[in-house]
Amino acid sequence: LLPAKIYQTLHSFAVDGCTADCGPPWGPEVIEWARKAGPHVSAMSEENIYLIWDDVQYQERAGFVRIVKESELFGEGVPEAVIKELKISRLAVVPQANRRGRLILNLSAPVELPPERKKGSRHKRKRQHPSVNETTEEPEDQDAVKALGSALPSLLLFMFETNCYWEIDWQKIDLSDGFWRMIVEHGKEYNFVYQLPPRPGDRGSFFVVPSGLQMGWTNSPAYFCTATEGTRELIRRILALSIGPETFQLINRVFVDDFMNGLAGEVGRKRKCEEQLWVSRATMHGIHAVFPPPDVLQHEGGRDSISERKLEKGDARFKPDETLLGFNLHGHPKRRRTVGLDPNKSGRYRTQIQGALERQCNFVTFNEFRKIHGKVQHAAVAMPCMRGFMTPLNRVLSEAPRFVGLGKGSEVRETLADFDHLLALSTQHPTHITEVVPPDLPHYYGYVDFAAVGMGGVWLPCTRALPPLVWRARNPRDIELEVRKEKGLINNNDGECAAVVVGEFLLDHVLQGQVAGISTHLGSDNTATVGQQQRKASRATHKQAKGLLRWQALRQRWTRRGPSDVDHVEGEQNRLGDIPSRSYEEGFPANADDEAFLADFSRRFPLPPQLGSWRLVQPPTAITSAVFSLMRGARDTTTHPATSTGDAGVGLPTMLANTLFSLESKGPTSTWNESTCSWPLLMPSGEVSTWKAYQLRQRLSRRHFSGAPSAWQSGDLRTLAAKLRARTS
């Protein structure tokens, strides 16, 4: 039933075990000092000693390990093969929230040897022997473990691509003792020996010789994920051979030991329960075929490979709301298809931030700060606007001070307080899936540019109807003079970032605020601006970019915009942005006359008949005034754009703001199609090109999801079933 390569790999794991080349033998001195080190301090508390012995004795009964006396490893008559492979590492217990601690074998810690005095020197030199992980050879096949990074993007993409009127039900099936169920090759288990903490009354020391993969070994995830991905393929083939007449979409992903299913179909369909039972049985049959239950393996007292404790809690039941990979995924139709941070996790993050802000000493250590920074980055997956607030934290991270100040008026303090509110908001008002995942092609695209005298650009339709728009705005005299200075308070990079902001806000205005879920793409010839927009953070010392990015982030949350991208275009080619931005310069034809400018621009860049004619749009004064204020160094602005959410979670544009267009202006003649893009696409030079569609598909926000495996369509499973039946007949 399985492809030959997958079958051979799984058969080799079952019969021969996983290859374990852990480097050269350890000498007697290294072994002796490893024995003296004993278990980690976390394993020596009374509570954890009981926990360790309880777990290890269960593993011994189930056949996963052997508990041996000290004499069996270090006494006389120990086989040479054991001595050659013997390595001893330290056992640790990692605490877990609301659960028992997890046993981890610290195979990354080097063995500390006694210091040695170098000949002719008074000082002793510190000595260490490399750890097991340092000397381990990596497995050849790393594809499965590398695929872990695409698990969450796959689930989010599935939510986005599923019919917005359908309902998605989620299921999570957790494996029990996953790593221990895979063996290492015979004789190599002595590379993973560890010492047990002594119990009261114990005479002598006891050691554990594990036969299964160990938590803490660098190669364990690669081998285990290879096995679970093979299981996933087996599940797909079982589903194909047992498929019924239903029309549905299905996704199955594995993240280490979590099997996750998403089943989508019409709301209220009659066969929904039968479909869910069918998927559940196929998943459990596949898991038990690769990870057999204890009665098949004859493991006395062993637990089932599927966590029965999680089954009793209801984890394996299909439901529209489920926590997967730390995020709450809501599979309801239309505007309720959202993703949010798990409330428990959000609460822990907020507690840590509030604890830092409430300290009387007004500072935290750099390590504490780095942990908070990592948590905020994780939360930004479900709250995209949070990325726009990261600039002050990123600067601290790059400087890496011993302590991070949180005094009153500190930018870092202010930013952490903002994150506290945003984390609360992420659970109260989850993010719609269209805010996180971009479509294959953006809805609108354009080009922008900035010059000392002004800024400007164009907006064009890609997959949604929009008359081709050109816009320009004249810079105030004080900003023009600062930009022209060699080291002014405002530089050209600040201006280019401002042009992007004005362009984005202008589109909101044109679409009357109905931009929820709308995805856009802009081209800019300024590399600093492109970098800032892609990172949503600035590395520059000027604070203008930080304020503009923060304002953009707030706008995204207010309007519930979809992903927006800014990519680099060559300056010489960016004529659609360059001409409007320089149109106020002396010598430019009709530099202050809008009608003359529009006529001149239309002459320079004639449009294909499908697009009609150019229209000139003036950015509202509220937008330009706010942007100019931020460029002058203001910390914030009170200009708040309105928002409107459509029935499907995406607001459809219904009308345009007042625009100036020539008397010869024509409406577009072709009908548009969101999936195929019916409009001619323009390069920054103004020329029509089919290459532009390829460039738009390669934009950064889409690349993040491009490697995510697609869903299993009912038609695809039937095609696979026909191939399998033809092969067996």
Side-chain angles (χ1 to χ4, degrees):
L1 188 59
L2 281 171
K5 184 178 179 181
I6 294 177
Y7 172 79
Q8 290 166 3
T9 300
L10 295 179
H11 184 268
S12 174
F13 286 164
V15 176
D16 303 321
C18 302
T19 304
D21 185 353
C22 298
W26 285 8
E29 182 191 26
V30 179
I31 294 289
E32 181 61 27
W33 282 96
R35 286 174 62 189
K36 288 182 178 179
H40 188 265
V41 64
S42 63
M44 300 301 288
S45 69
E46 182 178 351
E47 179 185 359
N48 284 343
I49 289 174
Y50 170 79
L51 166 68
I52 291 168
W53 275 93
D54 185 52
D55 266 16
V56 171
Q57 285 175 334
Y58 156 72
Q59 294 178 48
E60 184 181 43
R61 290 192 302 271
F64 300 139
V65 304
R66 289 189 297 116
I67 300 176
V68 300
K69 295 180 179 179
E70 192 171 15
S71 58
E72 296 181 53
L73 295 176
F74 309 105
E76 295 181 2
V78 177
E80 185 65 28
V82 173
I83 297 174
K84 180 181 177 182
E85 299 294 341
L86 183 60
K87 299 176 177 67
I88 303 175
S89 300
R90 305 184 75 186
L91 182 69
V93 178
V94 178
Q96 299 186 100
N98 304 319
R99 295 174 60 186
R100 288 163 47 118
R102 183 188 291 272
L103 274 61
I104 299 287
L105 188 55
N106 191 356
L107 293 156
S108 297
V111 179
E112 298 291 339
L113 301 176
E116 184 179 66
R117 181 172 294 165
K118 195 174 181 180
K119 190 175 181 180
S121 173
R122 296 181 180 180
H123 302 288
K124 291 185 177 181
R125 180 172 58 92
K126 184 179 180 181
R127 291 193 302 152
Q128 290 181 333
H129 188 277
S131 67
V132 173
N133 279 346
E134 287 180 82
T135 57
T136 294
E137 288 290 328
E138 289 186 354
E140 293 181 5
D141 188 357
Q142 298 278 340
D143 292 343
V145 73
K146 289 179 180 178
L148 292 179
S150 67
L152 181 60
S154 291
L155 300 177
L156 298 176
L157 186 63
F158 177 72
M159 293 177 69
F160 179 82
E161 292 183 339
T162 297
N163 188 319
C164 67
Y165 294 99
W166 284 11
E167 183 177 60
I168 303 172
D169 289 295
W170 303 104
Q171 179 191 50
K172 180 171 64 176
I173 298 177
D174 189 27
L175 296 189
S176 173
D177 309 329
F179 279 17
W180 299 341
R181 296 178 187 278
M182 295 186 63
I183 60 173
V184 296
E185 59 181 304
H186 180 66
K188 298 292 186 176
E189 62 268 22
Y190 291 97
N191 287 282
F192 310 104
V193 171
Y194 58 90
Q195 185 176 353
L196 288 170
R199 297 167 297 183
D202 275 349
R203 295 182 178 180
S205 300
F206 291 90
F207 291 79
V208 176
V209 182
S211 58
L213 297 181
Q214 291 299 296
M215 291 287 293
W217 187 38
T218 185
N219 285 357
S220 290
Y223 287 129
F224 186 74
C225 290
T226 299
T228 54
E229 281 298 319
T231 307
R232 178 173 173 269
E233 178 60 24
L234 178 60
I235 294 168
R236 185 170 79 101
R237 291 169 179 245
I238 293 173
L239 288 167
L241 291 172
S242 57
I243 190 171
E246 299 81 16
T247 300
F248 59 85
Q249 279 184 281
L250 172 67
I251 190 169
N252 175 283
R253 286 310 309 262
V254 188
F255 190 85
V256 190
D257 59 354
D258 285 340
F259 283 79
M260 299 169 289
N261 290 321
L263 179 62
E266 293 182 359
V267 178
R269 61 193 187 278
K270 294 180 180 180
R271 296 176 60 87
K272 178 178 177 179
C273 292
E274 294 178 37
E275 293 172 15
Q276 294 178 354
L277 183 61
W278 165 63
V279 174
S280 300
R281 284 176 172 171
T283 304
M284 293 189 178
H285 280 311
I287 293 172
H288 278 153
V290 179
F291 301 98
D295 55 339
V296 174
L297 298 174
Q298 298 181 348
H299 281 175
E300 181 184 348
R303 291 192 285 257
D304 195 290
S305 52
I306 295 173
S307 175
E308 294 175 313
R309 180 174 59 85
K310 297 287 183 67
L311 292 178
E312 291 170 358
K313 290 173 61 178
D315 268 18
R317 295 174 186 168
F318 275 99
K319 43 188 177 291
D321 303 313
E322 182 61 277
T323 300
L324 300 174
L325 304 179
F327 294 96
N328 281 3
L329 305 186
H330 305 282
H332 303 281
K334 304 178 184 178
R335 67 179 65 186
R336 296 176 62 205
R337 187 165 298 170
T338 59
V339 54
L341 194 65
D342 175 49
N344 294 328
K345 186 170 288 188
S346 175
R348 293 197 299 271
Y349 291 2
R350 292 188 65 199
T351 298
Q352 190 164 353
I353 290 174
Q354 291 166 3
L357 296 177
E358 291 169 2
R359 290 193 181 176
Q360 294 183 351
C361 59
N362 283 336
F363 68 83
V364 294
T365 65
F366 180 67
N367 283 338
E368 290 175 291
F369 170 81
R370 187 165 53 185
K371 290 177 181 177
I372 294 174
H373 183 275
K375 288 175 170 57
V376 170
Q377 278 191 318
H378 175 74
V381 173
M383 194 75 160
C385 71
M386 293 178 73
R387 293 178 59 205
F389 289 73
M390 295 292 289
T391 296
L393 305 192
N394 291 344
R395 288 178 181 169
V396 172
L397 200 68
S398 64
E399 295 167 1
R402 288 185 61 193
F403 300 98
V404 179
L406 298 175
K408 291 183 179 179
S410 154
E411 273 192 331
V412 176
R413 184 183 187 87
E414 178 186 332
T415 304
L416 291 180
D418 288 337
F419 282 137
D420 183 32
H421 295 299
L422 289 172
L423 285 169
L425 192 64
S426 71
T427 55
Q428 296 167 7
H429 303 285
T431 303
H432 195 269
I433 191 61
T434 56
E435 298 177 60
V436 181
V437 183
D440 181 43
L441 287 165
H443 299 102
Y444 310 108
Y445 73 104
Y447 304 96
V448 294
D449 192 53
F450 177 86
V453 291
M455 62 180 77
V458 299
W459 278 111
L460 294 156
C462 185
T463 61
R464 286 204 172 167
L466 179 77
L469 305 176
V470 58
W471 65 273
R472 63 177 189 159
R474 184 157 197 165
N475 293 333
R477 185 62 176 168
D478 64 313
I479 289 180
E480 179 183 347
L481 293 175
E482 284 297 327
V483 173
R484 292 187 185 278
K485 290 180 183 178
E486 184 176 348
K487 294 184 178 180
L489 298 176
I490 305 171
N491 60 32
N492 188 66
N493 294 342
D494 301 327
E496 296 280 2
C497 186
V500 170
V501 174
V502 172
E504 291 279 8
F505 274 69
L506 172 67
L507 185 64
D508 293 351
H509 170 69
V510 167
L511 299 178
Q512 296 292 295
Q514 298 186 32
V515 295
I518 293 297
S519 181
T520 61
H521 180 277
L522 280 174
S524 169
D525 57 23
N526 185 271
T527 54
T529 295
V530 172
Q532 290 165 0
Q533 291 291 331
Q534 289 182 345
R535 293 189 303 269
K536 304 300 180 189
S538 172
R539 294 174 180 167
T541 54
H542 282 212
K543 60 183 179 181
Q544 284 85 346
K546 182 203 72 174
L548 291 166
L549 290 167
R550 186 173 182 273
W551 200 38
Q552 275 185 286
L554 291 171
R555 178 215 60 173
Q556 188 279 323
R557 189 59 188 176
W558 286 323
T559 62
R560 311 304 287 267
R561 268 275 206 124
S564 59
D565 292 272
V566 178
D567 280 331
H568 184 260
V569 297
E570 293 296 331
E572 295 179 359
Q573 296 293 318
N574 191 24
R575 298 183 67 232
L576 287 176
D578 186 66
I579 296 298
S581 69
R582 300 182 184 278
S583 61
Y584 292 104
E585 290 181 349
E586 292 185 14
F588 192 91
N591 64 349
D593 189 315
D594 285 341
E595 292 189 9
F597 164 74
L598 180 60
D600 180 75
F601 190 83
S602 300
R603 177 186 59 80
R604 291 173 184 260
F605 305 103
L607 291 169
Q610 299 97 317
L611 291 177
S613 301
W614 289 105
R615 302 189 182 195
L616 179 65
V617 183
Q618 297 291 356
T621 304
I623 293 176
T624 54
S625 297
V627 169
F628 292 143
S629 177
L630 289 170
M631 290 179 72
R632 294 185 181 105
R635 297 193 66 176
D636 208 342
T637 172
T638 57
T639 302
H640 296 173
T643 180
S644 174
T645 305
D647 188 44
V650 179
L652 299 177
T654 55
M655 59 182 296
L656 293 173
N658 293 330
T659 60
L660 174 68
F661 55 95
S662 64
L663 296 177
E664 295 79 19
S665 175
K666 300 176 183 179
T669 59
S670 66
T671 57
W672 57 272
N673 185 309
E674 279 201 49
S675 61
T676 60
C677 176
S678 299
W679 304 108
L681 299 179
L682 305 186
M683 298 296 283
S685 61
E687 299 174 356
V688 175
S689 172
T690 56
W691 179 251
K692 185 63 182 177
Y694 171 79
Q695 290 182 329
L696 292 174
R697 286 190 172 95
Q698 303 304 309
R699 65 197 191 279
L700 184 64
S701 65
R702 187 65 190 180
R703 284 204 306 269
H704 181 62
F705 296 91
S706 60
S710 58
W712 296 343
Q713 307 286 348
S714 51
D716 296 337
L717 290 178
R718 291 190 182 95
T719 302
L720 174 61
K723 292 180 180 179
L724 293 174
R725 291 191 180 101
R727 186 183 305 167
T728 55
S729 60

